[in-house]
Amino acid sequence: MFQQVPMVEIDGMELVQTRAILNYFASKHNLYGKDLKERALIDMYVEGMADLNDMVVVFPGHPPEEKDAKLALIREKTINRYFPAFEKVLKSHGQDYLVGNRLSRADIQLVELIYHLEELDPSLTANFPLLKALKTRISNLPTVKKFLQPGSQRKPLLTAEAIAEARKAFRF
Amino acid sequence: MAAKPKLYYFDGRGRMESIRWLLAAAGVEFEEEFFETREQYEKLQKDGRLLFGQVPLVEIDGMALTQTRAILSYLAAKYNLYGKDLKERVRIDMYTDGTLDLMTMIMGGVFKPLAEKEETLASVVKSAKTRYFPVFEKILKDHGEDFLVGNKFSWADIQLLEAILMVEELDASVLSDFPLLKAFKTRISNIPTIKKFLQPGSQRKPPPDSHYVALVRKILQF
């Protein structure tokens, strides 16, 4: 629609805009909380995750001389801003899931993010026991477990080469 | 009677402006607290009401909501401006994400050094004319209705009007090739709550000037 991807064809529609697509799937498959207030909490959490994830996915595309500084920034934000916020949420209610004592997109997206971050620096979760436990718990859900195995449709993080190709194709 | 929503931000547009538009269009009265000093901001961070240490913050219905899109989605749903079903909602999400992207480019642009700022703002106008506005013109043409989605006023209409006005501030001729958007702009501007918001004395904020930029830099320390 806006000359961009991702684009997903589903239910007779051509959907663009990552958030719109994620919102649609989460609603359709009951992963968006039970009411408006739970949805607001989930939205708040996943928007924060998106901010951090944006930094992570572009990281491989930085020129070598900028990489150290960018990685330091990702580490700093993860350890000082984002992980403490989510650890605190889990601690505050002591439940297995971030919102409403039930699996939601927030749990899935947080665990996805944790995996990405650990690829850049495995020590990031060291001081966040509840996040580590969430990661284990979510990874053991049958559908997630299957997705984490080789041969699934899960993709690796973009390499510098892939980003260079994308730059050429999309002209940015 | 429920307490009014309370908005915490700088006295200027930034990321809070879309929230002000939505509340105003819905006819909801709201209070505002403006940061004038770094100390005020730090106090809010220490109070623990800013989940990721950032604003906008809106206190509503017993929640401390941050993250602009989370706030906007909540308000849109609460005030029945989010379509009648999932399929209408996803269209509203697609359209508002697009217009918010466009407006965010302008927001970021004003903080850049002069030459870069002019380049960014020129590129925004170009994006509006070649990427965003043609899409909305076609949507209105294809269904021939007064509103973007479901023949009913929604968050998508409010946000598109806001974006049109913002881009017109950069280039007054930007709608010259878009007759349906021109008619749309007039129509939506005449909705009573919006008409009121567009008048002087409302809580709508003026375009960012050097004073606003300096204030934000001082408080956020960048």
Side-chain angles (χ1 to χ4, degrees), chain A residues 112 115-116 119 147-149 151-156:
Chain A
E112 179 197 357
Y115 272 107
H116 286 173
E119 280 185 47
F147 189 64
L148 288 168
Q149 273 154 12
S152 81
Q153 284 164 301
R154 185 182 183 215
K155 305 293 179 282

Side-chain angles (χ1 to χ4, degrees), chain B residues 5-212:
Chain B
K6 190 167 178 188
L7 280 47
Y8 294 78
Y9 202 65
F10 315 102
D11 188 3
R13 289 183 180 175
R15 293 180 187 280
M16 189 62 96
E17 193 72 354
S18 293
I19 294 167
R20 297 184 185 108
W21 268 88
L22 188 46
L23 285 166
V28 177
E29 287 182 18
F30 56 94
E31 291 175 1
E32 299 193 77
E33 189 169 302
F34 301 121
F35 300 120
E36 272 143 41
T37 65
R38 170 85 189 162
E39 289 68 36
Q40 268 177 288
Y41 184 66
E42 280 176 350
K43 178 171 187 301
L44 201 59
Q45 288 178 312
K46 288 192 184 94
D47 280 350
R49 277 177 292 167
L50 303 181
L51 180 64
F52 303 114
Q54 297 165 313
V55 286
L57 165 67
V58 174
E59 285 176 341
I60 184 169
D61 298 337
M63 296 180 294
L65 285 186
T66 57
Q67 294 292 339
T68 310
R69 284 177 175 86
I71 297 165
L72 288 167
S73 292
Y74 179 76
L75 295 175
K78 188 181 158 122
Y79 298 114
N80 292 311
L81 293 165
Y82 221 162
K84 71 177 197 295
D85 57 26
L86 198 48
K87 285 200 169 189
E88 284 192 356
R89 207 167 83 187
V90 75
R91 285 168 57 204
I92 292 170
D93 275 342
M94 280 196 282
Y95 304 163
T96 53
D97 229 36
T99 45
L100 203 51
D101 280 351
L102 187 59
M103 291 192 280
T104 303
M105 285 188 253
I106 300 178
M107 278 177 230
V110 299
F111 287 93
K112 297 186 180 178
L114 189 61
E116 228 187 297
K117 170 180 157 182
E118 295 194 345
E119 201 186 310
T120 300
L121 297 181
S123 137
V124 168
V125 173
K126 184 170 175 211
S127 256
K129 285 191 197 176
T130 57
R131 175 176 284 190
Y132 293 93
F133 289 175
V135 168
F136 294 114
E137 182 81 4
K138 180 171 193 289
I139 288 165
L140 290 172
K141 187 173 184 189
D142 286 350
H143 60 45
E145 292 164 7
D146 281 355
F147 305 105
L148 284 168
V149 179
N151 208 13
K152 198 173 102 122
F153 183 55
S154 79
W155 173 31
D157 304 300
I158 300 165
Q159 190 117 327
L160 178 55
L161 175 62
E162 184 193 357
I164 287 171
L165 293 179
M166 261 180 111
V167 180
E168 277 186 333
E169 281 169 357
L170 301 177
D171 177 349
S173 73
V174 75
L175 287 190
S176 54
D177 295 333
F178 304 105
L180 297 179
L181 287 182
K182 272 198 252 190
F184 174 86
K185 175 190 159 191
T186 306
R187 202 162 51 242
I188 305 303
S189 300
N190 280 322
I191 292 173
T193 47
I194 294 187
K195 192 169 189 169
K196 192 171 165 198
F197 188 61
L198 289 171
Q199 274 155 10
S202 81
Q203 283 161 298
R204 186 183 183 213
K205 302 296 176 273
D209 57 13
S210 54
H211 173 258
Y212 174 75

Side-chain angles (χ1 to χ4, degrees), chain A residues 1-19:
Chain A
M1 180 188 298
F2 300 115
Q3 299 155 29
Q4 295 165 322
V5 283
M7 193 270 271
V8 175
E9 286 177 344
I10 180 159
D11 296 340
M13 300 179 290
E14 282 183 2
L15 299 183
V16 295
Q17 295 290 350
T18 310
R19 281 178 178 88

Side-chain angles (χ1 to χ4, degrees), chain A residues 9-172:
Chain A
E9 286 177 344
I10 180 159
D11 296 340
M13 300 179 290
E14 282 183 2
L15 299 183
V16 295
Q17 295 290 350
T18 310
R19 281 178 178 88
I21 298 166
L22 286 168
N23 289 358
Y24 184 76
F25 283 132
S27 292
K28 192 173 175 195
H29 299 286
N30 292 312
L31 291 165
Y32 220 158
K34 74 179 196 300
D35 58 27
L36 210 45
K37 283 195 171 191
E38 284 193 356
R39 213 182 105 145
L41 286 182
I42 290 169
D43 276 342
M44 200 170 32
Y45 300 164
V46 302
E47 283 296 311
M49 293 175 210
D51 286 347
L52 182 54
N53 197 51
D54 283 350
M55 286 189 244
V56 173
V57 298
V58 302
F59 175 74
H62 293 304
E65 63 272 15
E66 283 179 30
K67 278 208 154 121
D68 283 345
K70 296 288 184 190
L71 185 56
L73 184 63
I74 290 172
R75 277 200 186 101
E76 194 263 317
K77 296 280 180 216
T78 301
I79 293 178
N80 292 333
R81 169 175 283 178
Y82 294 102
F83 277 7
F86 296 120
E87 185 82 2
K88 186 175 171 197
V89 167
L90 289 169
K91 189 166 187 195
S92 72
H93 55 51
Q95 292 164 0
D96 281 356
Y97 304 102
L98 283 166
V99 178
N101 207 12
R102 198 172 86 125
L103 179 70
S104 77
R105 64 180 287 193
D107 306 295
I108 299 164
Q109 289 184 243
L110 181 53
V111 170
E112 179 197 357
L113 183 58
I114 291 171
Y115 272 107
H116 286 173
L117 288 164
E118 285 182 333
E119 280 185 47
L120 296 183
D121 179 353
S123 75
L124 287 170
T125 43
N127 296 322
F128 300 98
L130 298 179
L131 291 184
K132 276 198 262 199
L134 180 76
K135 180 191 164 193
T136 304
R137 215 159 38 240
I138 300 303
S139 301
N140 282 322
L141 294 173
T143 48
V144 178
K145 191 168 192 167
K146 192 171 166 195
F147 189 64
L148 288 168
Q149 273 154 12
S152 81
Q153 284 164 301
R154 185 182 183 215
K155 305 293 179 282
L157 275 179
L158 288 177
T159 57
E161 292 73 30
I163 293 186
E165 293 273 322
R167 278 188 186 279
K168 268 194 272 172
F170 294 101
R171 296 192 195 140
F172 68 98

